[in-house]
């Protein structure tokens, strides 16, 4: 229904922007539609009225014998795609037309009827369609064959019965009928799952012959097909490259584009095969069509030799200013790989990167440049000093926090190892003063790294304070610890340490700035106070752009032995010994903010008839000793759970994590869900910091904790399968449950995929959790074990449209069809 | 949480033109997935816009743009992207959102044909040329917006005769125009006779040329 509503006005207006269809309203169209009932039909007038509301009125038009009008009725029926009960009204007329003596009636009636038909109707008209396929008139035959291709998707079993007729049509003298018949045949074969691929390539000679065909379209298709052959040899490629090279100098932009795009792809795998085209490619850099120019440049960057680099860079510099970011990123990536290929040319390539870094550009583009410079610095030692300075200059005026912090971190690692570290200090120090909190924090860490490594007084001065607070004041002893801390690998999730450090460092920065060196903060930062547990990302969390965690390295995955450790821990507690086998332990869920007085997180242990909440508590106040610590779990919003026991912590001294447990009973084998609100209850005793002794009298106190939920995902184990397809096919198709869901507008396909994976808590298989860039559809495969030891496999098909609306199809197979239903319930209520 | 809501609206009708068009291993018969179309050249849409990027006639064969606003947004971005290029003598080509678009401008009319990025560019160009030739014949060489709107019915029929559900039916402009004109033969309108006459001339010329 894409066309504008149409109404013709006979009076011509002489205005310049006159449009006969301007200002059409639905009401007017409906009014106009009454004309269809007029016994004195004005065919010409009627054929120009169109509206979705007038389907029934339109059907009256079948009474007219006017061919043009009839054609417009066909068009309209196709646009309206009437529902099944409406179809009946027009079928008889269409079936009459399908047997008409007029060829065009037959052809068009077939196309319309096949478009609106359903299975039952199709069996009625199947006989006519088979006749039409072998009709003398090629238009009729093509119409039936093309309709067959469409119907193959909805009613494959019927279309497959037409093979005799289709075979006959393949022999037709009309080229288009041959083409449509072959297309249908090919798809029938694919549908049947016959694998026609063989190891050798019987087609190569045929393809090579097609390179001499008279139609450019065929030549190109053959050349493209040759370049796409798997494991194609250089000798096989040569004739294809030769014809593509000829196309490069064609006067037709489409032909140049097609050729350069194909050669660009070839250059990724066979750069040497394309070098012959370099001269033609260079002339394409100035092509009016910027897509062609970009493709030519990136191809040249892939195939270029060392001597041509400088000339190429000069040409590219002029070119960069007038192309879009998307093209620029492609060029930057190509330059990066070129530089790695020819490290001696780093100077001109690095200069180029730094000059484009100073120009206008969006985040993705700038990130591509920074990433490239970082990689070059790492891989080409000579490029390090100039590269670091370029980065320093960039952060002087960088609007992207994420990039600034990444660069500062990198400077901290690489800068101290250079011959003159002091020249970077000024840039870093400026960041401490001028930036937002995140960048300031990074800058202080970077300064500290310099201070720890560099023997320059100037640097030391700035960093001494920081150092002092890290250790106990004795510099020699601290050094080792500091280095370990700053550069060593940490077994603590970086997200946690980041939050803790950020707050601490902000305080530090103000000290540095006020130069209150004689009075350092009393409380040194203590790495061990940072919770070691991986914080699970809340489902609904929206990541702010520029603050992505990717660059900082993802938290390390929990060791596989965690489950064993939990099992040992729990079985050692007599109260829980009778609960049977532990089914699943969740990742820890934080119940407190990261830098509060008491740090508490919870691990949910699921048993068949019980759940045990293990609350890991840490007391972060040195002046306090906590005793008799329990977590009061209120299950009033989790009706199926009833508390059966708790195990308190007798004593919780400063900075010594300990666990308290709360056990609940739940219905056997049922994935009961619910929300729990929590309170930390304890007796607090003052501790004398000088002696470390606690006072005798304590005070009862409570501390509010965050709520947590037991969700459906807690009842599914992440268990992968090695071959999903085999596993899928070995499951009983009778247990399969399919449905479709609209996920609403999403930031990206990746975000939608992750949300569903997290919701289900299942194991992504075969790397399908990764969505390729710019994909509009994606299939994700999940596997897991549902409580009761039932294997479940899930196939998710996602599609995203231009407005970022995401639709998802969910297919589940499992060993128990009730579990398939349960998975759908999780998604439906998610 | 309201994360997901069930919808019954994803009716599975003919969906042509998947993206990505080839899906080698992950297809277990799932929909939406139109991977089976990969062997057959597929047109995603044909657009005829005016000099301000407004619609004269458009036809979408792919559900990549499911809503009217998605379609309009696509038309706007492709019009903006190509506006300043010179596509008056030879057809031009560009890429947008993983699609290849070939286009040609004449007077105040902008012709576009869109296909997926695995498509043979020359096939798209041939479809564009066929559409363009047919419209030129049907409008008797007055290829401009007003004439196009006056004969919108012919242009809509023309689109219908070029591509059916994404599959190319015919690419020869004179044959397309001939099919459209046939329908108007019984009309008795002078337009059709004149048109058929011109098409005969055109065919005679092209016969001489080849």
């Amino acid at each position: 229904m894409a066309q504008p509503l149409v109404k013709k006005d006979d009076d011509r207006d002489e205005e310049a922007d006159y449009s006969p269809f301007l200002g059409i309203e639905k009401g007017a169209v409906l009014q106009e539609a009454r004309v269809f009932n007029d016994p004195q039909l004005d065919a010409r007038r009627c054929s120009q009225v169109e509206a979705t509301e007038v389907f029934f009125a339109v059907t009256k038009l079948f009474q007219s014998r006017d061919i043009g009008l009839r054609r417009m009725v066909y068009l309209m029926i196709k646009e309206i795609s009437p529902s099944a009960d409406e179809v009946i009204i027009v079928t008889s007329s269409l079936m009459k037309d399908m047997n008409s003596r007029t060829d065009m009636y037959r052809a068009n009636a077939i196309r319309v009827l096949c478009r609106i038909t359903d299975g039952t109707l199709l069996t009625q008209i199947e006989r006519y369609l088979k006749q039409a396929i072998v009709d003398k008139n090629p238009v009729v035959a093509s119409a039936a064959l093309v309709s067959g291709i469409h119907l193959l998707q909805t009613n494959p079993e019927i279309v497959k019965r037409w093979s005799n007729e289709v075979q006959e049509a393949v022999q037709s003298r009309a080229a288009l009928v041959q083409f449509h018949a072959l297309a249908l045949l090919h798809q029938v074969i694919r549908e049947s799952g016959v694998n026609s691929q063989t190891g050798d390539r019987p087609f190569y000679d045929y393809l090579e012959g097609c390179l001499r065909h008279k139609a450019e379209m065929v030549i190109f298709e053959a050349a493209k097909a040759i370049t796409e052959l798997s494991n194609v040899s250089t000798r096989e490629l040569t004739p294809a490259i030769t014809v593509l090279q000829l196309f490069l100098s064609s006067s037709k932009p489409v032909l140049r584009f097609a050729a350069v795009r194909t050669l660009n792809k070839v250059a990724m795998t066979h750069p040497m095969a394309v070098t012959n085209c370099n001269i033609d490619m260079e002339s394409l850099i100035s092509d009016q069509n910027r897509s062609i120019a970009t493709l030519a440049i990136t191809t040249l960057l892939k195939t270029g030799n060392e001597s041509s680099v400088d000339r190429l860079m000069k040409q590219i510099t002029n070119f960069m200013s007038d192309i879009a970011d998307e093209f620029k990123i492609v060029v930057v990536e190509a330059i990066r790989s070129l530089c790695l290929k020819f490290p001696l040319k780093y100077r001109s390539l690095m200069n180029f990167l730094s000059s484009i870094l100073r120009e206008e550009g969006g985040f993705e583009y700038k990130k591509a440049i920074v990433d490239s410079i970082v990689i070059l610095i790492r891989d080409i030692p000579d490029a390090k000093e100039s590269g670091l300075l370029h980065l320093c200059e960039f952060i002087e005026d960088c609007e992207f926090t994420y990039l600034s912090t990444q660069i500062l971190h990198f400077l901290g690692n690489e800068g101290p190892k250079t011959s003159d570290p002091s020249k970077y200090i000024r840039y870093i120090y400026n960041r401490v003063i001028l930036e937002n909190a995140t960048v300031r924090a990074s800058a202080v860490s970077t300064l500290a790294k310099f201070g720890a490594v560099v023997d320059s007084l100037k640097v030391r001065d700035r960093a001494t304070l920081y150092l002092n607070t890290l250790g106990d004041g004795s510099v020699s002893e601290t050094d080792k610890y500091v280095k370990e801390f700053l550069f060593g690998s940490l077994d603590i999730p970086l997200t946690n340490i980041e939050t803790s450090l950020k707050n601490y460092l902000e305080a530090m920065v103000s000290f540095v700035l006020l130069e209150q060196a004689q009075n350092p903060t009393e409380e040194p930062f203590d790495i061990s106070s940072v919770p070691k547990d991986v914080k699970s990302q809340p489902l609904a969390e929206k990541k702010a752009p520029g603050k992505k965690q990717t660059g900082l390295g993802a938290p390390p995955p929990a060791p596989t032995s965690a489950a064993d450790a939990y099992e040992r821990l729990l079985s050692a507690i007599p109260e829980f010994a009778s609960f049977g086998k532990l089914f699943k332990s969740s990742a820890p869920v934080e119940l407190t903010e990261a830098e509060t007085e008491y740090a508490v997180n919870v691990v949910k242990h699921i048993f068949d008839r019980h759940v045990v909440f293990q609350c890991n508590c840490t007391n972060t106040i040195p002046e306090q000793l906590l005793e008799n610590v329990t977590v009061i779990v209120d299950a009033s919003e989790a009706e199926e759970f009833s508390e059966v026991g708790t195990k308190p912590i007798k004593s919780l001294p400063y900075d010594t994590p300990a666990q308290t447990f709360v056990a609940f009973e739940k219905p056997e084998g049922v994935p009961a869900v619910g929300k729990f609100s929590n309170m930390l209850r304890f007796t607090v005793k003052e501790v004398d910091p000088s002696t470390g002794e606690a006072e005798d009298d304590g005070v009862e106190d409570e501390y509010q904790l965050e709520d947590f939920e037991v969700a459906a995902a807690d009842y599914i184990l992440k268990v992968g399968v090695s071959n999903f397809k085999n596993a899928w096919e070995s499951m009983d198709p009778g247990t399969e449950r399919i449905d479709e869901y609209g996920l609403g507008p999403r930031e990206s396909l990746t975000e939608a995929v992750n949300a569903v994976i997290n919701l289900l808590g299942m194991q992504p298989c075969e790397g399908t959790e990764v969505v390729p860039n710019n994909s509009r559809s994606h299939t994700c495969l999940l596997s897991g074990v549902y409580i009761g030891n039932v294997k479940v496999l899930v196939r998710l098909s996602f599609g995203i449209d231009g407005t970022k609306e995401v639709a998802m199809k969910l297919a589940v197979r499992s060993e128990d069809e009730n579990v398939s239903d349960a998975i759908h319930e999780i998604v439906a209520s998610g | 949480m309201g994360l997901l809501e069930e919808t019954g609206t994803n009716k599975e009708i003919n969906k042509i033109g998947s993206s990505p068009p080839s899906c080698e291993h992950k297809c277990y018969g799932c929909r939406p997935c139109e991977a089976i179309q990969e062997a057959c050249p597929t047109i995603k849409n044909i657009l005829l816009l005016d000099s301000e990027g407004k619609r004269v006639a458009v036809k979408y064969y792919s559900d990549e743009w499911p809503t009217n606003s998605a379609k309009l947004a696509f038309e706007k971005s492709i019009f903006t992207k190509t506006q300043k290029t010179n596509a008056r003598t030879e057809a031009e080509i560009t890429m947008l959102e993983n699609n290849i678009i070939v286009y040609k401008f004449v007077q105040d009319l902008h012709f576009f044909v869109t296909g997926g990025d695995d498509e043979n560019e020359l096939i798209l160009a041939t479809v564009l040329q066929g559409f363009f030739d047919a419209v030129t014949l049907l409008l008797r060489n007055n290829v401009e917006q007003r004439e196009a709107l006056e004969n919108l019915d012919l242009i809509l029929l023309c689109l219908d005769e070029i591509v059916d559900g994404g599959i190319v039916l015919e690419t020869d402009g004179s044959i397309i125009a001939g099919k459209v004109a046939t329908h108007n033969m019984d009309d008795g309108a002078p337009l059709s006779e004149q048109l058929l006459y011109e098409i005969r001339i055109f065919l005679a010329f092209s016969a001489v040329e080849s």
Side-chain angles (χ1 to χ4, degrees), chain A residues 278-431:
Chain A
N278 278 2
I279 296 178
D280 306 84
M281 287 278 179
E282 281 189 32
S283 57
L284 289 183
I285 295 180
S286 52
D287 200 297
Q288 288 275 309
N289 185 316
R290 304 323 279 163
S291 303
I292 295 177
T294 311
L295 286 165
I297 283 202
T298 51
T299 314
L300 281 170
L301 290 173
K302 285 171 198 145
T303 62
N305 53 36
E306 194 148 3
S307 59
S308 63
V309 167
D310 290 323
R311 188 159 45 97
L312 207 52
M313 296 319 292
K314 203 171 282 172
Q315 280 170 304
I316 294 176
T317 312
N318 302 329
F319 163 84
M320 287 298 267
S321 55
D322 53 46
I323 56 170
D325 270 14
E326 51 167 316
F327 291 137
K328 291 178 183 170
I329 293 173
V330 177
V331 174
V332 166
E333 280 163 4
I335 286 178
R336 178 206 304 167
S337 33
L338 182 71
C339 193
L340 292 174
K341 204 160 100 192
F342 303 122
L344 288 177
K345 288 289 165 194
Y346 78 87
R347 206 177 301 273
S348 60
L349 295 170
M350 189 65 100
N351 281 339
F352 175 79
L353 289 177
S354 78
S355 72
I356 55 173
L357 193 53
R358 284 191 293 270
E359 280 158 22
E360 285 292 297
F363 172 73
E364 293 295 335
Y365 174 46
K366 289 290 164 80
K367 182 170 180 296
I369 305 173
V370 170
D371 285 349
S372 297
I373 295 182
V374 165
I375 288 170
L376 297 186
I377 291 174
R378 279 198 184 140
D379 291 6
I380 306 172
D382 290 343
K384 183 186 273 185
E385 305 242 333
S386 63
L388 288 177
L389 269 181
H390 290 316
L391 292 178
C392 282
E393 276 160 26
F394 174 59
I395 55 171
E396 289 278 86
D397 187 25
C398 173
E399 57 189 304
F400 306 108
T401 300
Y402 174 79
L403 291 180
S404 294
T405 54
Q406 292 290 291
I407 291 173
L408 283 166
H409 172 78
F410 184 69
L411 274 175
N413 287 339
E414 298 294 332
K417 297 183 220 156
T418 56
S419 59
D420 182 12
S422 61
K423 66 180 170 193
Y424 307 110
I425 301 285
R426 178 173 61 85
Y427 295 100
I428 302 165
Y429 190 65
N430 284 346
R431 297 305 99 210

Side-chain angles (χ1 to χ4, degrees), chain B residues 80-126:
Chain B
T80 318
K81 183 161 183 170
T82 58
Q83 198 178 7
K84 295 211 175 81
T85 56
N86 179 12
R88 293 188 180 269
T89 45
E90 286 288 355
E92 273 291 347
I93 183 162
T94 189
M95 292 192 75
L96 182 71
E97 296 164 1
N98 286 336
N99 285 313
I100 294 181
I101 299 113
V102 291
Y103 57 99
K104 192 163 183 167
F105 305 156
V106 175
Q107 301 207 48
D108 53 0
L109 286 178
H110 295 209
F111 296 74
F112 300 90
V113 172
T114 307
D117 67 353
D118 270 16
E119 214 50 81
N120 181 330
E121 293 88 341
L122 304 192
I123 291 177
L124 300 179
T126 311

Side-chain angles (χ1 to χ4, degrees), chain A residues 2-3 71 78-79 111 150 153 180 190 221 224 261 289 739-740 742-743 774 777 809 827 830, chain B residues 3-6 10 19 31 38 55 58-59 92-93 98 117-118 120-121 160-161 164 168 183:
Chain A
Q3 282 76 19
R71 281 289 278 123
K78 279 202 273 189
E79 287 296 334
R111 283 166 54 202
H150 296 319
Q153 295 186 26
H180 290 131
R190 275 191 73 130
E221 186 68 37
K224 190 173 152 190
R261 199 161 75 101
N289 185 316
D739 209 343
E740 298 189 355
L743 308 193
N774 298 326
S777 62
K809 175 154 171 172
V827 173
Chain B
L3 175 71
L4 310 166
E5 58 188 86
E6 200 163 351
N10 293 327
S19 177
R31 290 167 203 270
E38 109 185 88
R55 279 177 186 180
V58 298
K59 181 71 191 159
E92 273 291 347
I93 183 162
N98 286 336
D117 67 353
D118 270 16
N120 181 330
E121 293 88 341
D160 187 54
E161 292 294 352
D164 183 88
V168 180
H183 298 305

Side-chain angles (χ1 to χ4, degrees), chain A residues 579-643:
Chain A
F579 289 178
K581 186 157 170 48
L582 175 62
F583 176 73
K584 181 181 182 177
S585 301
S586 76
V589 180
E590 296 295 335
L591 299 183
T592 52
E593 301 284 326
E595 60 282 343
T596 45
E597 300 97 304
Y598 314 111
V600 181
N601 65 46
V602 64
V603 177
K604 297 170 273 183
H605 301 289
I606 309 286
F607 294 87
D608 201 32
R609 283 179 49 224
H610 296 89
V611 292
V612 174
F613 301 128
Q614 170 189 339
C615 299
N616 301 308
C617 307
T618 311
N619 168 13
T620 65
I621 305 177
E623 299 85 3
Q624 286 189 358
L625 169 70
L626 306 187
E627 287 184 348
N628 203 17
V629 182
T630 52
V631 173
I632 309 298
V633 179
D634 174 7
S636 56
E637 283 180 74
E639 287 163 6
E640 293 177 271
F641 296 83
S642 53
E643 187 171 329

Side-chain angles (χ1 to χ4, degrees), chain A residues 100-334:
Chain A
S100 153
R101 271 176 298 126
T102 317
D103 290 336
M104 288 313 286
Y105 271 3
R106 289 214 301 283
N108 285 304
I110 287 169
R111 283 166 54 202
V112 176
L113 208 47
C114 290
R115 177 64 56 90
I116 61 176
T117 191
D118 59 8
T120 5
L121 182 59
L122 189 59
T123 39
Q124 284 179 45
I125 60 169
E126 188 186 354
R127 187 162 55 92
Y128 304 112
L129 290 174
K130 283 159 85 169
Q131 270 171 27
I133 290 173
V134 292
D135 197 292
K136 286 193 305 294
N137 187 304
V139 180
V140 176
S142 278
L145 287 164
V146 169
S147 299
I149 296 174
H150 296 319
L151 289 170
L152 198 56
Q153 295 186 26
T154 47
N155 294 285
E157 66 295 338
I158 294 181
V159 179
K160 280 174 190 166
R161 292 202 294 253
W162 304 348
S163 60
N164 285 342
E165 286 76 12
V166 178
Q167 294 280 6
E168 195 177 329
V170 172
Q171 310 296 327
S172 162
R173 265 182 296 169
L176 270 170
V177 175
Q178 275 188 26
F179 161 66
H180 290 131
L182 273 173
L184 177 55
L185 204 58
H186 177 86
Q187 297 195 9
V188 168
I189 292 168
R190 275 191 73 130
E191 279 277 295
S192 322
V194 179
N195 192 351
S196 57
Q197 280 285 337
T198 47
D200 55 352
R201 305 199 196 99
F203 309 123
Y204 181 78
D205 289 339
Y206 172 74
L207 288 175
E208 207 261 344
C210 287
L211 294 175
R212 290 179 289 277
H213 196 274
K214 62 179 190 305
E216 284 168 340
M217 200 196 303
V218 178
I219 301 176
F220 173 69
E221 186 68 37
K224 190 173 152 190
I226 290 176
T227 64
E228 284 169 359
L229 291 174
S230 54
N231 300 322
V232 64
S233 70
T234 313
R235 206 163 60 98
E236 287 171 320
L237 268 178
T238 311
I241 303 283
T242 311
V243 298
L244 291 173
Q245 185 177 3
L246 286 176
F247 287 167
L248 287 180
S249 45
S250 161
S251 63
K252 294 179 189 159
V254 174
L255 209 48
R256 295 200 299 275
F257 177 91
V260 75
R261 199 161 75 101
T262 310
L263 288 171
N264 188 293
K265 279 188 202 145
V266 177
M268 290 181 195
T269 49
H270 296 80
M272 291 318 288
V274 188
T275 45
N276 282 345
C277 310
N278 278 2
I279 296 178
D280 306 84
M281 287 278 179
E282 281 189 32
S283 57
L284 289 183
I285 295 180
S286 52
D287 200 297
Q288 288 275 309
N289 185 316
R290 304 323 279 163
S291 303
I292 295 177
T294 311
L295 286 165
I297 283 202
T298 51
T299 314
L300 281 170
L301 290 173
K302 285 171 198 145
T303 62
N305 53 36
E306 194 148 3
S307 59
S308 63
V309 167
D310 290 323
R311 188 159 45 97
L312 207 52
M313 296 319 292
K314 203 171 282 172
Q315 280 170 304
I316 294 176
T317 312
N318 302 329
F319 163 84
M320 287 298 267
S321 55
D322 53 46
I323 56 170
D325 270 14
E326 51 167 316
F327 291 137
K328 291 178 183 170
I329 293 173
V330 177
V331 174
V332 166
E333 280 163 4

Side-chain angles (χ1 to χ4, degrees), chain A residues 393-634:
Chain A
E393 276 160 26
F394 174 59
I395 55 171
E396 289 278 86
D397 187 25
C398 173
E399 57 189 304
F400 306 108
T401 300
Y402 174 79
L403 291 180
S404 294
T405 54
Q406 292 290 291
I407 291 173
L408 283 166
H409 172 78
F410 184 69
L411 274 175
N413 287 339
E414 298 294 332
K417 297 183 220 156
T418 56
S419 59
D420 182 12
S422 61
K423 66 180 170 193
Y424 307 110
I425 301 285
R426 178 173 61 85
Y427 295 100
I428 302 165
Y429 190 65
N430 284 346
R431 297 305 99 210
V432 177
I433 301 166
L434 299 170
E435 287 281 0
N436 63 41
T438 314
V439 178
R440 286 209 307 275
S442 299
V444 170
S445 308
T446 308
L447 276 183
K449 289 181 186 174
F450 272 83
V453 176
V454 180
D455 275 339
S456 147
L457 276 177
K458 200 161 118 202
V459 183
R460 282 253 160 177
D461 283 349
R462 292 246 167 86
T464 305
L465 176 67
Y466 186 88
L467 279 175
N468 279 339
T469 58
L470 276 169
D472 55 7
S474 143
V475 172
S476 57
E477 263 178 50
T478 318
D479 258 8
K480 188 168 157 267
Y481 174 51
V482 162
K483 277 181 191 158
E484 209 166 76
F485 165 58
L486 290 171
F487 301 102
S489 60
L490 294 166
D491 58 348
I492 299 167
L494 288 164
T495 41
N496 300 5
I497 207 172
E498 185 192 66
T499 346
S500 305
L501 264 177
K502 219 181 271 174
N503 293 311
Y504 184 75
L505 288 180
E506 262 172 57
M508 285 306 308
V509 168
S510 50
F511 274 110
V512 172
L513 294 179
L514 295 170
E515 293 188 281
Q516 291 177 328
Q518 69 276 29
N519 185 22
T521 66
E522 295 93 327
E523 248 180 75
F525 178 79
D526 188 346
I527 188 86
S528 56
S529 69
V530 179
K532 297 205 177 195
D533 299 300
V534 180
K535 206 189 269 188
S536 64
Q537 297 277 343
L539 200 60
E541 183 185 77
K542 283 236 165 94
K543 281 185 187 161
K547 272 196 166 182
K548 285 180 189 153
Q549 300 292 351
T550 46
L552 289 163
T560 43
S561 60
D564 296 342
Y566 282 139
E567 189 146 28
R568 272 200 301 276
L569 179 70
L570 291 169
S571 59
I573 300 166
E575 290 93 324
F576 305 150
S578 62
F579 289 178
K581 186 157 170 48
L582 175 62
F583 176 73
K584 181 181 182 177
S585 301
S586 76
V589 180
E590 296 295 335
L591 299 183
T592 52
E593 301 284 326
E595 60 282 343
T596 45
E597 300 97 304
Y598 314 111
V600 181
N601 65 46
V602 64
V603 177
K604 297 170 273 183
H605 301 289
I606 309 286
F607 294 87
D608 201 32
R609 283 179 49 224
H610 296 89
V611 292
V612 174
F613 301 128
Q614 170 189 339
C615 299
N616 301 308
C617 307
T618 311
N619 168 13
T620 65
I621 305 177
E623 299 85 3
Q624 286 189 358
L625 169 70
L626 306 187
E627 287 184 348
N628 203 17
V629 182
T630 52
V631 173
I632 309 298
V633 179
D634 174 7

